[in-house]
Amino acid sequence: MARKVLVLGEVRDQSLRNVSFEAIAAGKTIAEGGEVVAVLLGDNVSALSTELIHYGADRVVAVENEKLQTYTPDGYSQALLSVISEENPEGIVFGHTALGKDLSPKIAAKLGSGLISDATAIEVTGGNVVFTRPIYSGKAFEKKIVTDGVIFATIRPNNISPLEKDDSRSGDTSTLSVDIKDLRTIVKEVVRKASEGVDLSEAKVVIAGGRGVKSEDGFEPLQELANVLGGAVGASRGACDAEYCDYSLQIGQTGKVVTPDLYIACGISGAIQHLAGMSNSKVIVAINKDPEANIFKVADYGIVGDLFEVVPLLTEEFRKL
Ligand code: FAD
């Protein structure tokens, strides 16, 4: 059954986040040959429309308004609901990002629709669009279908492959003018850390440090390895609690959920709350002095040794490639 599916293109620093392209691929599966319409919300964002077309969107609708310069649930809801009422989609896809997690339930509730959150795979079988999503902190997966109303989902970054970029793809791009009423919240200032490097939630390689790194300086060899591999540095809560690094790096049940192609855990014991945030990574390498450490139970490759010896050796070898 062909459907019209809306996909939110997520913009950060005037660039599209990768999850936008993954959402287009998800939208294509749900659309079953129907139309995938990407939506851009912001101020001065329509220049990004072509890239969404190159990644497979059939059409792009941009809502530009200075009140959408930074994300507010209020402003974005008003803009997106206007697009939805123009387009009448049968499916809607967001990235399972901080923005997607905040905005999608509000929109779903307004539409009186359900929401399948954090999908890691989507397929069409037996005439149904079937979503796979993790439950019990990633220890099991459930499959879900939508039996009524709009098919509404958020997808976990790094799980659904985007379509190959094709610069020859063409499609319609338009802007929709929306009168955004006064916002209840206004973002006065966005304060960023000086260097954020690769975005942890979207990184293909994550080098994570635990209490075993022993100090803030102990993260340096991990950052060097991450630089060589084009990855991001993450951490256990143990390391954050010990003030070796910022809480924005925390991975786990109460931190970020990551699913990179390669996860290297350095000096992390592998507590269940940490595993909840990384156990679905494609390849897990654990470096730990303790051969009995729980992290080895989920690791594809384990190195029993001192991280301060092993990590620099890995960096040296990867540098040669
Ligand atoms: P430790 O358990 O102390 O492990 C350090 C490891 O480093 C040890 O295995 C040791 O053998 C190894 N090591 C030491 N020195 C070296 C060396 N030189 N070379 C190699 N290995 C070395 N934790 C999270 O990570 N994320 C969460 O989101 C999270 N949420 C939580 C929520 C709740 C409600 C609770 C109760 C806890 C939560 N925790 C979370 C905490 C979790 O239970 C663990 O306490 C924490 O993950 C431990 O961090 P760690 O592995 O770095 O430290």
Side-chain angles (χ1 to χ4, degrees), residues 209-214 235-239 241 250-256 266-275 287-290 293-295 305-308:
R211 229 187 309 252
V213 302
K214 295 191 176 66
S236 71
R237 178 156 147 189
D241 285 346
Q250 186 186 318
I251 291 165
Q253 190 181 314
T254 44
K256 293 196 167 86
C266 311
I268 294 178
S269 59
I272 190 77
Q273 296 90 351
H274 186 75
L275 303 188
I287 304 165
N288 199 302
K289 280 204 301 202
D290 175 7
N294 200 46
I295 191 78
D306 186 333
L307 72 93
F308 294 105

Side-chain angles (χ1 to χ4, degrees), residues 308-318:
F308 294 105
E309 288 168 21
V310 177
V311 172
L313 282 176
L314 288 177
T315 308
E316 205 181 302
E317 287 304 313
F318 280 122

Side-chain angles (χ1 to χ4, degrees), residues 47-62:
L48 300 169
S49 302
T50 321
E51 198 176 358
L52 291 165
I53 301 275
H54 291 167
Y55 273 100
D58 299 304
R59 192 153 61 81
V60 181
V61 177

Side-chain angles (χ1 to χ4, degrees), residues 41-43 63-71 75-76 79 180:
L41 308 175
D43 189 19
V63 180
E64 298 197 300
N65 191 307
E66 59 177 17
K67 289 183 183 154
L68 300 176
Q69 199 167 24
T70 46
Y71 171 72
Y76 271 49
I180 302 206

Side-chain angles (χ1 to χ4, degrees), residues 3-10 20 23-41 49 52-53 55-63 80 82-94 171-176:
R3 298 182 184 86
K4 184 197 273 191
V5 179
L6 288 195
V7 164
L8 184 71
E10 209 177 299
S20 316
I24 292 173
K28 287 269 181 201
T29 307
I30 298 167
E32 291 193 69
E35 191 184 27
V36 173
V37 182
V39 180
L40 283 169
L41 308 175
S49 302
L52 291 165
I53 301 275
Y55 273 100
D58 299 304
R59 192 153 61 81
V60 181
V61 177
V63 180
L80 190 55
S82 300
V83 180
I84 290 169
S85 87
E86 281 286 311
E87 296 285 344
N88 268 320
E90 288 135 317
I92 305 179
V93 185
F94 288 77
D172 248 25
T173 61
S174 60
T175 52
L176 179 71

Side-chain angles (χ1 to χ4, degrees), residues 158 196-207 232-235 248-251 256-260:
N158 274 341
E196 281 190 334
V198 180
D199 181 349
L200 181 57
S201 3
E202 292 200 335
K204 297 282 178 208
V205 176
V206 172
I207 316 295
V233 169
S248 60
L249 301 190
Q250 186 186 318
I251 291 165
K256 293 196 167 86
V257 174
V258 296
T259 41

